[in-house]
Amino acid sequence: MEHETALMLESYHDQRARWPAEGRHILAQYDEASVVVYQAYRPAIGHYAAQHGRFGGEFSLNRMSWIKPNFLWMMYRSGWGTKDGQEVTLAIWLRRAAFEEILREAVPSSFTPDMYASHDDWQAAVARSSVRLQWDPDHDPHGRPLARRAIQLGLRGDALARFAGEWLLRIEDISPLVARQHEILRAGDLNALLTPHETVYPVADAELARRLGTDDLAAQG
């Protein structure tokens, strides 16, 4: 029996056929009110967050914390929850308005000449912003890099403080789901692999899409 979860799950095989093969895309599970992002922590932090519905305890507000709306990128990063310090996988429902605010605040983690007039301008934008933006190669379930790029967003300062509490709608420990799907993957049955239902997140504002570097102006799927 599959682990019960508030996430919508779907066959990876079916989703892969719909997802863009290349380009920069924000793949996410979302609705009108929320966007799901993922993080992986050591048990002390992950269990506290899931039990309290907010971050606290050993969670630090003094360092950058990265969120990933793409489930398989999180699985690549955490080794399906097997890496030290990343044993507890959290699905985090953020207010959609908060996710939009995070996107608007985001500044690339490296200098982008076509976006900033000079390196100094970019550094000034970094200093003002509490959100970092990074595009990395997306990965398939086995951890192999793809032509498609996946987004991750680093939060610090005010953005991290708001993320830890007021922006949250729900936190779920999905480690049992991750472990079960990892077993299926290791057995070699990709047709049976279930992953959270994800589609391309719409960035309707053309200027914001340009600043983010995404290839999308509207949702697909």
Side-chain angles (χ1 to χ4, degrees):
M1 185 172 68
E2 296 298 340
H3 168 65
E4 291 186 4
T5 175
L7 289 167
M8 286 194 306
L9 303 179
E10 188 179 354
S11 159
Y12 162 73
H13 182 270
D14 291 346
Q15 295 201 81
R16 180 181 60 178
R18 293 197 311 267
W19 289 337
E22 58 186 22
R24 294 180 173 186
H25 306 274
I26 303 173
L27 285 177
Q29 182 163 139
Y30 63 91
D31 57 27
E32 291 183 359
S34 65
V35 178
V36 180
V37 298
Y38 302 95
Q39 291 190 310
Y41 288 105
R42 65 181 185 272
I45 295 177
H47 291 161
Y48 182 101
Q51 290 165 9
H52 294 82
R54 59 178 176 80
F55 288 94
E58 296 182 20
F59 181 81
S60 174
L61 292 172
N62 298 318
R63 55 182 296 182
M64 186 162 284
S65 185
W66 292 84
I67 58 174
K68 303 158 182 66
N70 181 313
F71 175 80
L72 285 176
W73 205 98
M74 183 73 260
M75 294 304 95
Y76 160 72
R77 182 68 180 84
S78 70
W80 288 87
T82 64
K83 291 185 180 179
D84 186 43
Q86 299 186 61
E87 301 89 349
V88 176
T89 305
L90 300 179
I92 302 160
W93 280 256
L94 289 181
R95 300 179 190 279
R96 185 160 174 176
F99 187 70
E100 292 280 347
E101 186 169 340
I102 289 169
L103 293 180
R104 288 194 299 271
E105 181 80 7
V107 172
S109 57
S110 58
F111 175 54
T112 309
D114 60 349
M115 195 175 301
Y116 296 95
S118 70
H119 195 272
D120 287 346
D121 286 347
W122 166 72
Q123 285 189 319
V126 167
R128 290 191 301 269
S129 175
S130 57
V131 181
R132 295 288 175 277
L133 161 69
Q134 201 162 294
W135 290 100
D136 300 284
D138 205 347
H139 290 74
D140 73 7
H142 295 288
R144 295 181 293 241
L146 303 172
R148 184 177 62 242
R149 292 270 169 163
I151 197 171
Q152 62 170 330
L153 297 153
L155 311 180
R156 66 171 188 172
D158 179 63
L160 183 57
R162 299 177 74 188
F163 166 78
E166 69 177 272
W167 282 347
L168 299 172
L169 291 172
R170 178 191 183 104
I171 300 178
E172 182 185 328
D173 178 357
I174 60 168
S175 304
L177 169 68
V178 168
R180 172 59 182 147
Q181 298 310 310
H182 191 212
E183 288 177 6
I184 291 171
L185 177 65
R186 293 175 68 187
D189 190 2
L190 273 184
N191 288 328
L193 182 67
L194 296 177
T195 57
H197 170 81
E198 293 177 356
T199 52
V200 174
Y201 185 84
V203 182
D205 184 303
E207 175 58 22
L208 177 58
R210 185 193 70 80
R211 288 195 291 107
L212 293 173
T214 180
D215 292 323
D216 301 290
L217 289 176
Q220 300 177 15

